[in-house]
Amino acid sequence: MKFCDMPYKRPDLSALLARCAELAAQLSAAPTPEALVALYREENHEMAHYRTAQILANIHYTQDTRDPIWSAEQDWFDENSPAVSNAETCIAKAILSNPHAEALADAFGSTVLPTLQNRVKAMDERLIPLQQKENALISAYQKLYGGALVTLDGKRLTIPQLNLYKESMDPAMRRAAYDAEAAYFDAHRQEFDSIYDQLVHNRNEQARILGYKDYSELSYVRMNRIGYGPKEVKAFRDEVAVHVVPMLTKIMALKAKRIGLEHPMFWDSALNFADGNPAPHGNYEELMASARKMYHELSPVTGAFIDFMQDNEMFDVMSR
């Protein structure tokens, strides 16, 4: 089925929440490991319908944040997805309370139970109003950023369309591209700052309600970081500072020498060669055909994958 033909129907929230409550009761009382595994599969299957609708709506919305139809659908999910998340948390609690819970690890792998535990640690019914507001703020940011239009080279361009100009051989044009992008953010500084400020306060309040020090602590749970935490991430950052940053500094110096820049500036960062960056040869159809050929040469599996993706028009790669 092609992406454009995928049917969309707004979920029935009342029916979904009622079904989640039924599943939670059944999962809690599952009498055998086999029954618990079967119910877990059923729960995943039923939630897949909701997730498919949610993802379809979000894809259409992010393709054009100005579309009133998909904006309305995104608003609906912003408002109602926290209640669904809370229902899923109740399901997770029910599974973990079942004495046969370890059967899920045997059937689906060692991360399934820690993932369910993190779901419980990251959600509470008291957070629903805050998460509704958080979702609305995220969508407002997407709309503000996604709808950006700037003027450059006599054209009205989106932010992604500036990338070509950032690779220009003309340093003045490269800087103009960055200046055009910055001018949009500067013109909307108050709106961006307000969204950011509200998000910080909102997320920290969610963390405090759940008993965490701040959102940073909660985010490790929400990102499902299993088996490592702040200590390990700090060690990784330190390794980057010690080993990667000096290497990148040398690479940047070599690149500046290669393209003949004595004092490289930030607007020179996208240019890699003195005679210009490599540019794609061919139109959209030719490039996609070349990609298909390459994936088929890699393996039968990647060949089947690219065929499925292209035949069903699953790619959205045109800058707009």
Side-chain angles (χ1 to χ4, degrees), residues 254-292:
L254 288 170
K255 187 179 82 165
K257 182 178 180 180
R258 182 173 66 238
I259 59 181
L261 293 174
E262 186 176 354
H263 301 291
M265 305 298 288
F266 70 86
W267 55 80
D268 300 316
S269 60
L271 185 65
N272 294 308
F273 298 96
D275 56 351
N277 290 353
H281 291 279
N283 56 30
Y284 173 82
E285 289 75 17
E286 291 168 336
L287 291 170
M288 295 301 282
S290 295
R292 190 190 292 262

Short mmCIF file of all heavy atoms in Angstrom, two decimals, residues 254-292:
data_model
loop_
_atom_site.label_atom_id
_atom_site.label_comp_id
_atom_site.label_asym_id
_atom_site.label_seq_id
_atom_site.Cartn_x
_atom_site.Cartn_y
_atom_site.Cartn_z
N LEU A 254 42.92 21.00 8.80
CA LEU A 254 43.30 20.45 7.50
C LEU A 254 42.30 20.86 6.42
O LEU A 254 42.69 21.17 5.29
CB LEU A 254 43.38 18.92 7.59
CG LEU A 254 44.57 18.36 8.37
CD1 LEU A 254 44.40 16.86 8.59
CD2 LEU A 254 45.88 18.64 7.63
N LYS A 255 41.03 20.89 6.78
CA LYS A 255 40.01 21.29 5.81
C LYS A 255 40.18 22.76 5.43
O LYS A 255 40.09 23.13 4.25
CB LYS A 255 38.61 21.05 6.37
CG LYS A 255 37.51 21.29 5.34
CD LYS A 255 36.13 21.03 5.89
CE LYS A 255 35.61 22.22 6.66
NZ LYS A 255 34.15 22.15 6.90
N ALA A 256 40.45 23.60 6.42
CA ALA A 256 40.65 25.03 6.14
C ALA A 256 41.84 25.22 5.20
O ALA A 256 41.79 26.05 4.26
CB ALA A 256 40.87 25.79 7.44
N LYS A 257 42.90 24.46 5.43
CA LYS A 257 44.07 24.55 4.55
C LYS A 257 43.72 24.08 3.15
O LYS A 257 44.15 24.68 2.15
CB LYS A 257 45.20 23.71 5.14
CG LYS A 257 46.49 23.77 4.34
CD LYS A 257 47.58 22.94 5.01
CE LYS A 257 48.88 22.99 4.20
NZ LYS A 257 49.95 22.17 4.85
N ARG A 258 42.93 23.00 3.07
CA ARG A 258 42.57 22.43 1.77
C ARG A 258 41.75 23.41 0.93
O ARG A 258 41.92 23.50 -0.28
CB ARG A 258 41.78 21.14 1.98
CG ARG A 258 41.39 20.43 0.69
CD ARG A 258 40.77 19.07 0.96
NE ARG A 258 39.50 19.16 1.65
CZ ARG A 258 39.22 18.60 2.81
NH1 ARG A 258 40.15 17.91 3.45
NH2 ARG A 258 38.03 18.73 3.37
N ILE A 259 40.86 24.16 1.58
CA ILE A 259 40.01 25.07 0.81
C ILE A 259 40.56 26.49 0.79
O ILE A 259 39.93 27.40 0.25
CB ILE A 259 38.56 25.07 1.34
CG1 ILE A 259 38.50 25.48 2.81
CG2 ILE A 259 37.93 23.70 1.15
CD1 ILE A 259 37.08 25.48 3.37
N GLY A 260 41.76 26.68 1.39
CA GLY A 260 42.44 27.96 1.29
C GLY A 260 41.90 29.05 2.18
O GLY A 260 41.92 30.23 1.80
N LEU A 261 41.46 28.69 3.38
CA LEU A 261 40.94 29.68 4.33
C LEU A 261 41.94 29.86 5.47
O LEU A 261 42.21 28.93 6.23
CB LEU A 261 39.59 29.23 4.89
CG LEU A 261 38.42 29.18 3.90
CD1 LEU A 261 37.20 28.58 4.56
CD2 LEU A 261 38.11 30.58 3.38
N GLU A 262 42.47 31.06 5.58
CA GLU A 262 43.42 31.33 6.65
C GLU A 262 42.72 31.52 7.98
O GLU A 262 43.21 31.09 9.04
CB GLU A 262 44.24 32.58 6.31
CG GLU A 262 45.36 32.86 7.30
CD GLU A 262 46.22 34.04 6.89
OE1 GLU A 262 46.02 34.58 5.77
OE2 GLU A 262 47.09 34.44 7.69
N HIS A 263 41.55 32.16 7.94
CA HIS A 263 40.77 32.39 9.15
C HIS A 263 39.34 31.91 8.91
O HIS A 263 38.44 32.71 8.63
CB HIS A 263 40.78 33.87 9.54
CG HIS A 263 42.15 34.42 9.78
ND1 HIS A 263 42.92 34.05 10.87
CD2 HIS A 263 42.90 35.31 9.07
CE1 HIS A 263 44.08 34.68 10.82
NE2 HIS A 263 44.10 35.45 9.74
N PRO A 264 39.10 30.62 9.00
CA PRO A 264 37.75 30.10 8.73
C PRO A 264 36.74 30.61 9.75
O PRO A 264 37.04 30.76 10.93
CB PRO A 264 37.92 28.58 8.85
CG PRO A 264 39.14 28.39 9.69
CD PRO A 264 40.04 29.55 9.38
N MET A 265 35.54 30.90 9.25
CA MET A 265 34.44 31.38 10.08
C MET A 265 33.34 30.33 10.11
O MET A 265 33.36 29.36 9.35
CB MET A 265 33.91 32.71 9.54
CG MET A 265 34.99 33.78 9.38
SD MET A 265 35.78 34.24 10.95
CE MET A 265 34.46 35.16 11.72
N PHE A 266 32.35 30.54 10.96
CA PHE A 266 31.31 29.52 11.11
C PHE A 266 30.54 29.31 9.81
O PHE A 266 30.06 28.22 9.54
CB PHE A 266 30.35 29.88 12.25
CG PHE A 266 29.46 31.06 11.99
CD1 PHE A 266 28.25 30.91 11.34
CD2 PHE A 266 29.84 32.33 12.41
CE1 PHE A 266 27.43 32.01 11.11
CE2 PHE A 266 29.02 33.43 12.18
CZ PHE A 266 27.81 33.27 11.52
N TRP A 267 30.42 30.36 8.99
CA TRP A 267 29.68 30.19 7.74
C TRP A 267 30.48 29.42 6.68
O TRP A 267 29.97 29.14 5.60
CB TRP A 267 29.24 31.55 7.18
CG TRP A 267 30.36 32.54 6.98
CD1 TRP A 267 31.23 32.60 5.93
CD2 TRP A 267 30.71 33.61 7.85
NE1 TRP A 267 32.11 33.63 6.09
CE2 TRP A 267 31.81 34.28 7.26
CE3 TRP A 267 30.20 34.08 9.06
CZ2 TRP A 267 32.41 35.39 7.86
CZ3 TRP A 267 30.80 35.19 9.65
CH2 TRP A 267 31.89 35.83 9.05
N ASP A 268 31.71 29.07 7.00
CA ASP A 268 32.52 28.25 6.09
C ASP A 268 32.42 26.75 6.42
O ASP A 268 33.01 25.93 5.72
CB ASP A 268 33.99 28.66 6.16
CG ASP A 268 34.21 30.12 5.79
OD1 ASP A 268 33.61 30.56 4.80
OD2 ASP A 268 34.96 30.81 6.50
N SER A 269 31.70 26.41 7.48
CA SER A 269 31.75 25.03 7.99
C SER A 269 31.16 24.01 7.02
O SER A 269 31.56 22.84 7.04
CB SER A 269 31.00 24.94 9.32
OG SER A 269 29.65 25.34 9.17
N ALA A 270 30.24 24.42 6.16
CA ALA A 270 29.60 23.45 5.26
C ALA A 270 30.40 23.22 3.98
O ALA A 270 30.10 22.28 3.22
CB ALA A 270 28.19 23.91 4.90
N LEU A 271 31.40 24.05 3.71
CA LEU A 271 32.20 23.90 2.50
C LEU A 271 33.38 22.98 2.79
O LEU A 271 34.13 23.20 3.74
CB LEU A 271 32.71 25.26 2.02
CG LEU A 271 33.47 25.26 0.68
CD1 LEU A 271 32.55 24.85 -0.46
CD2 LEU A 271 34.08 26.64 0.41
N ASN A 272 33.57 21.96 1.94
CA ASN A 272 34.59 20.95 2.21
C ASN A 272 35.75 20.93 1.23
O ASN A 272 36.82 20.41 1.54
CB ASN A 272 33.95 19.57 2.25
CG ASN A 272 32.99 19.40 3.41
OD1 ASN A 272 33.34 19.67 4.55
ND2 ASN A 272 31.76 18.99 3.13
N PHE A 273 35.54 21.49 0.03
CA PHE A 273 36.59 21.43 -1.00
C PHE A 273 36.70 22.78 -1.70
O PHE A 273 35.72 23.50 -1.85
CB PHE A 273 36.28 20.33 -2.02
CG PHE A 273 36.23 18.95 -1.42
CD1 PHE A 273 35.02 18.39 -1.05
CD2 PHE A 273 37.39 18.23 -1.21
CE1 PHE A 273 34.96 17.13 -0.49
CE2 PHE A 273 37.35 16.97 -0.64
CZ PHE A 273 36.13 16.42 -0.28
N ALA A 274 37.92 23.07 -2.15
CA ALA A 274 38.18 24.37 -2.78
C ALA A 274 37.39 24.55 -4.07
O ALA A 274 37.06 25.68 -4.45
CB ALA A 274 39.68 24.50 -3.07
N ASP A 275 37.09 23.45 -4.76
CA ASP A 275 36.32 23.55 -6.00
C ASP A 275 34.84 23.24 -5.77
O ASP A 275 34.10 22.97 -6.72
CB ASP A 275 36.89 22.62 -7.07
CG ASP A 275 36.96 21.17 -6.61
OD1 ASP A 275 36.74 20.91 -5.41
OD2 ASP A 275 37.24 20.29 -7.46
N GLY A 276 34.41 23.27 -4.52
CA GLY A 276 33.00 23.07 -4.21
C GLY A 276 32.70 21.66 -3.73
O GLY A 276 33.45 20.72 -3.99
N ASN A 277 31.61 21.53 -3.02
CA ASN A 277 31.20 20.21 -2.52
C ASN A 277 30.67 19.34 -3.65
O ASN A 277 30.15 19.85 -4.65
CB ASN A 277 30.11 20.37 -1.45
CG ASN A 277 30.64 20.97 -0.17
OD1 ASN A 277 31.85 21.16 -0.01
ND2 ASN A 277 29.74 21.28 0.75
N PRO A 278 30.78 18.03 -3.49
CA PRO A 278 30.18 17.14 -4.49
C PRO A 278 28.68 17.41 -4.59
O PRO A 278 28.00 17.60 -3.58
CB PRO A 278 30.45 15.74 -3.92
CG PRO A 278 31.60 15.91 -2.99
CD PRO A 278 31.46 17.28 -2.42
N ALA A 279 28.18 17.42 -5.80
CA ALA A 279 26.76 17.69 -6.03
C ALA A 279 26.11 16.48 -6.69
O ALA A 279 26.75 15.80 -7.51
CB ALA A 279 26.58 18.92 -6.92
N PRO A 280 24.88 16.17 -6.34
CA PRO A 280 24.19 15.04 -6.99
C PRO A 280 24.06 15.27 -8.49
O PRO A 280 23.83 16.40 -8.94
CB PRO A 280 22.81 15.04 -6.32
CG PRO A 280 22.99 15.82 -5.06
CD PRO A 280 24.03 16.84 -5.34
N HIS A 281 24.21 14.20 -9.26
CA HIS A 281 24.04 14.27 -10.70
C HIS A 281 22.76 13.56 -11.08
O HIS A 281 22.56 12.39 -10.74
CB HIS A 281 25.23 13.62 -11.42
CG HIS A 281 26.52 14.38 -11.27
ND1 HIS A 281 26.83 15.47 -12.05
CD2 HIS A 281 27.56 14.22 -10.42
CE1 HIS A 281 28.01 15.95 -11.69
NE2 HIS A 281 28.47 15.21 -10.70
N GLY A 282 21.89 14.26 -11.77
CA GLY A 282 20.64 13.66 -12.19
C GLY A 282 19.46 14.26 -11.47
O GLY A 282 19.60 14.94 -10.45
N ASN A 283 18.27 13.98 -12.01
CA ASN A 283 17.05 14.48 -11.38
C ASN A 283 16.57 13.49 -10.31
O ASN A 283 17.23 12.48 -10.04
CB ASN A 283 15.96 14.71 -12.44
CG ASN A 283 15.67 13.45 -13.25
OD1 ASN A 283 15.81 12.33 -12.76
ND2 ASN A 283 15.27 13.63 -14.51
N TYR A 284 15.43 13.77 -9.74
CA TYR A 284 14.91 12.94 -8.64
C TYR A 284 14.78 11.48 -9.07
O TYR A 284 15.21 10.56 -8.35
CB TYR A 284 13.56 13.49 -8.18
CG TYR A 284 12.85 12.62 -7.17
CD1 TYR A 284 13.18 12.69 -5.82
CD2 TYR A 284 11.85 11.73 -7.57
CE1 TYR A 284 12.53 11.89 -4.89
CE2 TYR A 284 11.20 10.93 -6.64
CZ TYR A 284 11.53 11.01 -5.31
OH TYR A 284 10.89 10.22 -4.39
N GLU A 285 14.17 11.25 -10.23
CA GLU A 285 13.94 9.88 -10.69
C GLU A 285 15.25 9.14 -10.90
O GLU A 285 15.39 7.96 -10.55
CB GLU A 285 13.12 9.89 -11.98
CG GLU A 285 11.66 10.29 -11.82
CD GLU A 285 11.47 11.78 -11.60
OE1 GLU A 285 12.43 12.55 -11.91
OE2 GLU A 285 10.40 12.19 -11.13
N GLU A 286 16.24 9.83 -11.48
CA GLU A 286 17.53 9.18 -11.74
C GLU A 286 18.26 8.85 -10.44
O GLU A 286 18.86 7.78 -10.30
CB GLU A 286 18.38 10.10 -12.61
CG GLU A 286 17.84 10.24 -14.04
CD GLU A 286 18.51 11.37 -14.81
OE1 GLU A 286 19.03 12.31 -14.16
OE2 GLU A 286 18.51 11.31 -16.04
N LEU A 287 18.19 9.75 -9.48
CA LEU A 287 18.86 9.51 -8.20
C LEU A 287 18.20 8.36 -7.44
O LEU A 287 18.88 7.52 -6.84
CB LEU A 287 18.84 10.79 -7.35
CG LEU A 287 19.71 11.94 -7.86
CD1 LEU A 287 19.42 13.22 -7.09
CD2 LEU A 287 21.19 11.58 -7.75
N MET A 288 16.88 8.31 -7.48
CA MET A 288 16.18 7.22 -6.79
C MET A 288 16.46 5.88 -7.48
O MET A 288 16.59 4.84 -6.81
CB MET A 288 14.68 7.50 -6.75
CG MET A 288 14.31 8.73 -5.92
SD MET A 288 14.82 8.63 -4.19
CE MET A 288 13.56 7.56 -3.52
N ALA A 289 16.58 5.90 -8.80
CA ALA A 289 16.91 4.67 -9.52
C ALA A 289 18.32 4.20 -9.17
O ALA A 289 18.57 2.99 -9.01
CB ALA A 289 16.79 4.90 -11.03
N SER A 290 19.24 5.13 -9.03
CA SER A 290 20.61 4.77 -8.64
C SER A 290 20.64 4.20 -7.23
O SER A 290 21.38 3.24 -6.94
CB SER A 290 21.52 6.00 -8.72
OG SER A 290 21.64 6.45 -10.06
N ALA A 291 19.84 4.78 -6.34
CA ALA A 291 19.76 4.25 -4.98
C ALA A 291 19.21 2.83 -4.97
O ALA A 291 19.71 1.95 -4.27
CB ALA A 291 18.88 5.16 -4.12
N ARG A 292 18.20 2.60 -5.79
CA ARG A 292 17.63 1.25 -5.87
C ARG A 292 18.69 0.25 -6.35
O ARG A 292 18.81 -0.85 -5.81
CB ARG A 292 16.42 1.25 -6.82
CG ARG A 292 15.62 -0.05 -6.78
CD ARG A 292 14.60 -0.09 -7.92
NE ARG A 292 13.53 0.86 -7.78
CZ ARG A 292 12.32 0.58 -7.29
NH1 ARG A 292 12.06 -0.65 -6.85
NH2 ARG A 292 11.38 1.50 -7.25
#
